[in-house]
Amino acid sequence: GEDVEQSLFLSVREGDSSVINCTYTDSSSTYLYWYKQEPGAGLQLLTYIFSNMDMKQDQRLTVLLNKKDKHLSLRIADTQTGDSAIYFCAESRQGGKLIFGQGTELSVKP
Amino acid sequence: NAGVTQTPKFQVLKTGQSMTLQCAQDMNHEYMSWYRQDPGMGLRLIHYSVGAGITDQGEVPNGYNVSRSTTEDFPLRLLSAAPSQTSVYFCASSNRGQGVAGYTFGSGTRLTVV
């Protein structure tokens, strides 16, 4: 999606924290999402944040939202090899549309 | 409850051939949409629909047609396939007002145009 930007690659060591960043442009987005895609598979919703929240924590996942800078991040604590995948951020638009970033490929090294 | 069903899962077409990718949902969702996924470009919106009889263009609509004659079905038509349409196609549905986890994706159709 041309309006949502992510870096393409991230490499971390097992046990470290991973931080995946995303910038978006539509300040009227109601929800922002993080999806995970494993090789050859479809999209799995990981977590979401409502636009009036600054932070959301869900087990090993922490989502931070900075509305002023239109910046969203996903932190994965204690990253495991099973977390290796492509992570997409997405913003909701009217009409049930989702606009996706390019995806960040997370590589976890043992 | 099957969710969103896409058929076929795999397809190989020759340049210039036509085909229809099928998408059906059984959740009575109002909104349906089609995306294509290409390496390094994420998922890009092709067409979307807010209800039966209503469709609109997304980011990359050229070369694709859609129709929404029923709430359940949202087929995507390629009238004259081109190699640039080689991609993985995902269909999704959601219900108005259900932004929280309200998007359901199909398992995808992998299309190769030779």
Side-chain angles (χ1 to χ4, degrees):
Chain A
E2 58 187 24
D3 296 334
V4 181
E5 299 285 337
Q6 297 178 242
S7 54
L8 294 183
F9 300 101
L10 177 65
S11 180
V12 301
R13 292 222 171 266
E14 193 172 20
D16 288 349
S17 292
S18 308
V19 179
I20 303 172
N21 295 302
C22 172
T23 57
Y24 61 98
T25 58
D26 189 348
S27 58
S28 66
S29 294
T30 308
Y31 290 95
L32 295 137
Y33 301 87
W34 284 102
Y35 283 87
K36 177 182 180 182
Q37 185 181 39
E38 296 180 355
L43 292 161
Q44 172 194 354
L45 178 65
L46 269 185
T47 187
Y48 65 91
I49 189 166
F50 191 52
S51 59
N52 68 353
M53 298 168 65
D54 297 324
M55 186 182 85
K56 179 180 179 183
Q57 188 148 3
D58 185 359
Q59 299 182 332
R60 291 190 299 124
L61 305 178
T62 303
V63 179
L64 295 178
L65 175 61
N66 181 329
K67 285 195 72 174
K68 175 176 170 290
D69 295 337
K70 297 189 180 70
H71 183 266
L72 182 73
S73 68
L74 173 70
R75 179 177 179 269
I76 306 174
D78 187 25
T79 313
Q80 302 298 306
T81 54
D83 294 323
S84 292
I86 300 177
Y87 291 80
F88 293 96
C89 66
E91 58 172 341
S92 63
R93 300 272 181 93
Q94 281 192 336
K97 295 182 290 182
L98 282 178
I99 303 299
F100 287 85
Q102 307 96 315
T104 299
E105 183 175 347
L106 175 64
S107 173
V108 183
K109 299 187 186 328
Chain B
N1 189 338
V4 177
T5 302
Q6 287 184 241
T7 55
K9 291 191 184 307
F10 302 93
Q11 183 71 50
V12 179
L13 286 179
K14 293 183 179 178
T15 297
Q17 284 186 315
S18 62
M19 81 159 293
T20 299
L21 308 187
Q22 301 291 346
C23 176
Q25 52 93 7
D26 59 1
M27 298 169 285
N28 203 31
H29 282 173
E30 295 176 67
Y31 299 157
M32 297 186 75
S33 48
W34 275 102
Y35 298 84
R36 60 176 288 174
Q37 183 180 19
D38 302 292
M41 303 191 76
L43 279 81
R44 292 180 292 169
L45 182 64
I46 305 171
H47 284 285
Y48 66 102
S49 169
V50 298
I54 306 169
T55 63
D56 209 342
Q57 297 181 349
E59 301 171 80
V60 288
N62 292 341
Y64 307 95
N65 282 346
V66 291
S67 59
R68 185 95 180 269
S69 55
T70 66
T71 300
E72 294 78 18
D73 300 298
F74 191 42
L76 179 72
R77 297 186 186 85
L78 285 71
L79 296 178
S80 179
S84 61
Q85 294 178 304
T86 294
S87 189
V88 181
Y89 291 84
F90 289 98
C91 178
S93 72
S94 65
N95 218 354
R96 188 202 309 239
Q98 289 189 8
V100 174
Y103 294 87
T104 302
F105 281 82
S107 55
T109 295
R110 188 173 294 273
L111 176 67
T112 302
V113 182
V114 298

